[in-house]
């Protein structure tokens, strides 16, 4: 393979990702339009350059579609539960409970933009936290722009395990299935076991980095939304102990849950445990600042701080089922039930084993072998060697939906309220469904472009390795030993472009693995570092920013939010790169 051929292969392998970047970021196309085009480009490249047969392209796309269905079931369940709580008034109770603890805006940022946002990210993900928390903060009297900036920054660390672990359950496991043989040879019993360990490293990285995120959220609000004529970080000193304490009590259960239980619950448990500890400490008189910080008088606010909805107006309030006050325990009860269901189905081995492998009925057809039951499998798709699975009974979507059903009698909801919650959840996943199906199908093609070559044998007309392998080899050769410093930036690029850490992980997890293999570096560390960038990239993801701005009536300020949030992004990527480098070369150089 000569130099020119190598450049052609690299350029063609990169072309689907370039198309995504140009259409999403350059032309601001919605993902539902851009991703089908990117899939088509990947299919054409696979067919024309890698000699990938049409049935293999179709099989890889079907496999991606099956993975997308699994993700969408999780997202649908998460949204159903969230909208059930919103329709019942439980979210208002939770929000008011946080807000009543302190009138100090800095403390409210910690409680709402950090703990409430990380909690909602843990249960729903996919841009939901900022879209829910920003209008709640606006209702309390925050400037619309400040509410969006703080909510986006505050939820970042939780996105690693958002939507009950989707970025790991699907984002790591799905693409790493293409290197299952290598992973098993490395001593792991399955890709799932490897992904869980890589998620533990991701939790350690983000737990360390996340300690300072409450401080960043408060600092951004204080500096940019204090007195316009006298910008200062001095007011941060009054809540410095609170911010650091909040970061620590979140990070410890966050990392511990990831290592001891699994990827479904770290963000959820950390937000609940950490939030409860901080609220208890504040109510006991600890960490409460000696003075009360407030925004400047409303008439002094610059026009760009506020949109079409006035801060503190009733337009931001959600509807409730009745006028009776709801207790905090009742408001939280569906999520407490959810935690119990998830722990039970993950920790109790007979239940976990049955939900993953019990009651399976094989069915032979002319287009492959189907297995129906607690999981739906399609093996030998269209006569190829590819297969896919939808583990509908085990994935969190089932338990999220069940928790939403249990919540109906708990809240005494009417039929119209229940129908409205389920209908709204269904409408919210239509556009993401199109984007997810095509982006995962695109990545599957990129991962499997050489799978049709028998036993991986070299063929003159086919590049050596899949598109992802070609890109990984080129990156390893071009950057070499310095790669750990930029590994998080790769994840951030993916999240910025696609607006989702899950999509970023699906796109780049196998890439990070292949680069680590090429450079002889610990694969778990670099795959874990992928989640550093994937997490912070959500802070500036165009789609997340636009969605959050729309909820507070501030459409058109996307560029301003992105510019402001580049400050915490720079911290996260710089320190994340340094941590990755230290882990790779100093602390854990012998890991697989």
């Amino acid at each position: 393979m000569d130099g020119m051929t190598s450049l052609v292969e690299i350029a063609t392998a990169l072309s689907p990702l370039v198309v995504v970047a140009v259409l999403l970021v350059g032309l601001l196309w919605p993902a539902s339009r851009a991703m089908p085009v990117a899939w088509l480009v990947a299919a054409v490249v696979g067919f024309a350059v890698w000699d990938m047969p049409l049935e293999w392209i179709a099989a890889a796309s079907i496999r991606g579609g099956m993975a997308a269905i699994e993700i969408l079931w999780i997202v649908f369940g998460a949204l159903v539960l969230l909208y059930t709580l919103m329709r019942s008034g439980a979210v208002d109770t939770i929000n008011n409970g946080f807000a009543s603890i302190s009138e100090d805006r800095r403390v409210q940022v910690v409680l709402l933009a950090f703990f409430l946002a990380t909690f909602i990210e843990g249960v729903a993900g996919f841009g939901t936290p900022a879209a829910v928390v920003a209008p709640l903060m606006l209702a309390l009297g925050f400037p619309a722009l400040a509410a969006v900036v703080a909510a986006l920054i505050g939820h970042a660390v939780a996105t690693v395990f958002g939507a009950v672990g989707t970025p790991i359950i699907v984002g790591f496991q799905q693409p790493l299935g293409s290197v299952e043989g290598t992973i098993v040879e490395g001593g792991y019993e399955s890709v799932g076991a490897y992904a869980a360990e890589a998620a533990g490293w991701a939790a350690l990285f983000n737990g360390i980095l996340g300690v300072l995120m409450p401080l960043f959220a408060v600092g951004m609000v204080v500096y940019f939304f204090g007195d316009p004529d006298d910008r200062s970080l001095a007011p941060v000193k009054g809540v410095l102990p609170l911010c650091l304490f909040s970061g620590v009590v979140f990070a410890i259960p966050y990392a511990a849950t990831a290592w001891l239980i699994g990827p479904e619950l770290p963000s959820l448990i950390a937000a609940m445990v950490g939030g409860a500890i901080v609220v208890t400490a504040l109510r006991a008189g600890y960490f409460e600042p000696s003075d009360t910080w407030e925004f400047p008088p409303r008439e002094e606010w610059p026009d760009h701080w506020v949109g079409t909805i006035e801060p503190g107006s009733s337009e931001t309030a959600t509807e409730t089922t009745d006028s009776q006050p709801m207790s905090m325990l009742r408001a939280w009860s569906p999520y407490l039930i959810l935690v119990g269901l998830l722990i039970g189905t993950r920790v109790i081995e007979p239940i976990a084993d049955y939900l993953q492998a019990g009651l399976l009925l094989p069915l032979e057809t002319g287009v492959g072998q189907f297995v129906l039951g607690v999981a739906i499998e399609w093996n030998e798709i269209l006569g190829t060697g590819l297969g896919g699975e939808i583990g509908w009974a085990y994935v969190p979507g089932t338990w999220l939906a069940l928790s939403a059903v249990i919540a109906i009698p708990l809240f005494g909801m009417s039929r119209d309220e229940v129908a409205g919650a389920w209908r709204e959840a269904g409408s919210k996943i239509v556009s993401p469904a199109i984007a997810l199906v095509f982006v995962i199908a695109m990545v599957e093609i990129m991962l499997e472009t050489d799978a049709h070559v028998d036993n991986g044998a070299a063929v003159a007309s086919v590049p050596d390795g899949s598109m992802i392998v070609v890109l990984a080899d080129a990156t390893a050769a071009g950057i070499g030993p310095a790669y750990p410093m930029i590994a998080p930036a790769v994840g951030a690029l993916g999240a910025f472009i696609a607006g989702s850490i899950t999509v970023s992980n699906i796109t780049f997890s196998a890439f990070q693995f292949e680069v680590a293999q090429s450079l002889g570096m610990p694969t778990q560390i670099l795959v874990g570092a992928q989640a550093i960038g994937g997490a912070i990239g959500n802070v500036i993801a165009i789609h997340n920013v636009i969605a959050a701005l729309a909820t507070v009536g501030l459409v058109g300020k996307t560029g301003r939010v992105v510019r402001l949030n580049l400050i915490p992004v720079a911290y996260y990527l710089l320190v994340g790169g340094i941590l990755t480098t230290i882990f790779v070369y100093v602390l854990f150089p012998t890991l697989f």
Side-chain angles (χ1 to χ4, degrees):
M1 184 165 46
D2 58 35
M4 183 58 69
T5 303
S6 297
L7 290 175
V8 170
E9 291 172 1
I10 294 168
T12 53
L14 192 60
S15 58
L17 303 180
V18 172
V19 168
V20 171
V22 170
L23 296 183
L24 283 180
V25 181
L27 301 181
L28 297 180
W29 280 25
S32 57
R33 286 179 60 197
M35 293 310 181
V37 176
W39 167 82
L40 181 60
V41 171
V44 170
V45 169
F47 179 77
V49 181
W50 268 261
D51 291 339
M52 194 176 187
L54 292 177
E55 63 268 23
W56 282 81
I57 293 174
S61 300
I62 291 171
R63 175 171 166 165
M66 293 179 72
I69 291 171
E70 191 170 274
I71 297 175
L72 291 166
W73 175 229
I74 299 171
V75 176
F76 176 74
L79 291 176
V80 161
L81 182 55
L82 179 64
Y83 288 128
T84 296
L85 266 72
M86 292 179 72
R87 294 267 176 168
S88 68
V91 167
D92 286 334
T93 298
I94 293 170
N95 182 58
N96 292 335
F98 278 128
S100 66
I101 294 168
S102 175
E103 295 183 356
D104 191 294
R105 298 302 189 180
R106 298 166 297 180
V107 177
Q108 290 176 354
V109 168
V110 173
L111 297 178
L112 296 171
F114 184 67
F115 282 112
L116 184 56
T118 51
F119 172 77
I120 294 175
E121 174 63 29
V123 298
F126 291 88
T128 306
V132 172
V133 173
L136 292 177
M137 297 176 73
L138 179 64
L140 288 175
F142 277 69
L145 189 62
V148 170
V149 168
L152 285 168
I153 295 171
H155 90 294
V157 65
T159 62
V160 179
F161 302 99
V164 203
T166 301
I168 305 299
I169 296 170
V170 181
F172 277 6
Q173 290 188 32
Q174 181 69 23
L176 291 174
S178 65
V179 291
E180 183 173 8
T182 305
I183 287 173
V184 171
E185 289 175 6
Y188 294 87
E189 66 177 54
S190 67
V191 173
Y194 174 87
E197 185 168 320
W201 294 108
L204 187 57
F205 281 134
N206 286 278
I208 294 170
L209 293 165
V211 167
L212 294 185
M213 292 310 281
L215 187 63
F216 266 97
V218 170
M220 294 289 290
V221 169
V222 164
Y223 186 79
F224 290 104
F225 300 96
D227 185 348
D229 298 322
D230 183 28
R231 285 184 173 176
S232 171
L233 285 173
V236 175
K237 295 179 182 178
V239 290
L240 180 62
L242 172 66
C243 291
L244 295 178
F245 180 70
S246 297
V248 170
V249 296
F250 179 92
I252 293 174
Y254 176 82
T257 304
W259 282 102
L260 299 177
I261 298 178
E264 293 91 352
L265 294 172
S267 294
L268 183 59
I269 288 180
M272 294 175 72
V273 172
I277 292 173
V278 169
V279 167
T280 301
L282 286 167
R283 289 197 184 280
Y286 298 102
F287 302 112
E288 183 71 35
S290 57
D291 60 332
T292 300
W293 187 85
E294 180 59 272
F295 296 108
R298 173 66 181 86
E299 59 271 14
E300 296 180 12
W301 293 4
D303 291 341
H304 65 268
W305 284 14
V306 183
T308 58
I309 302 176
E310 186 64 22
S313 73
S314 59
E315 291 180 67
T316 59
T318 56
E319 298 179 5
T320 59
T321 54
D322 54 52
S323 59
Q324 297 300 315
M326 183 183 296
S327 71
M328 195 64 72
L329 178 61
R330 186 178 167 206
W332 282 99
S333 59
Y335 286 118
L336 296 175
I337 291 169
L338 173 65
V339 170
L341 289 171
L342 287 173
I343 291 176
T345 56
R346 270 66 185 158
V347 175
I348 303 174
E349 288 191 15
I351 295 177
D353 292 343
Y354 177 80
L355 291 174
Q356 294 178 84
L359 192 63
L360 300 177
L361 304 174
L363 179 64
E364 293 285 349
T365 73
V367 292
Q369 182 191 66
F370 288 88
V371 180
L372 308 178
V374 293
I376 298 173
E377 299 177 17
W378 187 353
N379 301 314
E380 305 294 327
I381 301 174
L382 304 182
T384 68
L386 302 181
E389 179 183 5
I390 302 172
W392 67 270
Y394 183 74
V395 297
T398 299
W399 310 107
L400 286 157
L402 179 58
S403 299
V405 171
I406 295 172
I408 295 170
L410 286 176
F411 296 141
M413 297 177 68
S414 69
R415 181 177 298 180
D416 288 343
E417 289 165 343
V418 174
W422 286 70
R423 187 167 52 248
E424 190 167 6
S427 67
K428 293 292 185 183
I429 68 169
V430 174
S431 182
I434 298 171
L436 277 170
V437 166
F438 282 99
V439 73
I440 302 177
M442 175 196 78
V443 172
E444 283 297 326
I445 291 173
M446 295 180 70
L447 287 167
E448 305 293 351
T449 33
D450 66 336
H452 61 287
V453 179
D454 290 339
N455 300 319
V459 177
S461 61
V462 177
D464 186 13
S466 66
M467 293 189 204
I468 293 292
V469 170
V470 167
L471 291 176
D473 288 346
T475 302
I479 300 175
Y483 183 77
M485 271 301 297
I486 70 159
V490 173
L493 177 64
F496 170 69
I497 291 174
S500 165
I501 184 175
T502 299
V503 175
S504 179
N505 287 352
I506 289 169
T507 306
F508 291 114
S509 291
F511 172 82
Q512 301 274 19
F513 185 94
E514 294 287 359
V515 171
Q517 286 273 288
S518 296
L519 293 172
M521 295 178 178
T523 59
Q524 305 103 310
I525 301 298
L526 291 190
V527 172
Q530 156 69 27
I532 296 174
I536 201 62
N538 275 270
V539 172
I540 55 172
I542 302 297
H543 304 122
N544 290 346
V545 174
I546 291 174
L549 288 170
T551 64
V552 296
L554 201 58
V555 178
K557 296 294 189 292
T558 305
R560 190 180 293 272
V561 172
V562 170
R563 285 196 298 273
L564 287 174
N565 283 356
L566 284 173
I567 296 171
V569 169
Y571 149 73
Y572 221 84
L573 293 183
L574 176 61
V575 180
I578 293 172
L579 281 175
T580 304
T581 303
I582 293 172
F583 275 43
V584 165
Y585 287 114
V586 180
L587 299 180
F588 308 102
T590 60
L591 285 176
F592 170 71

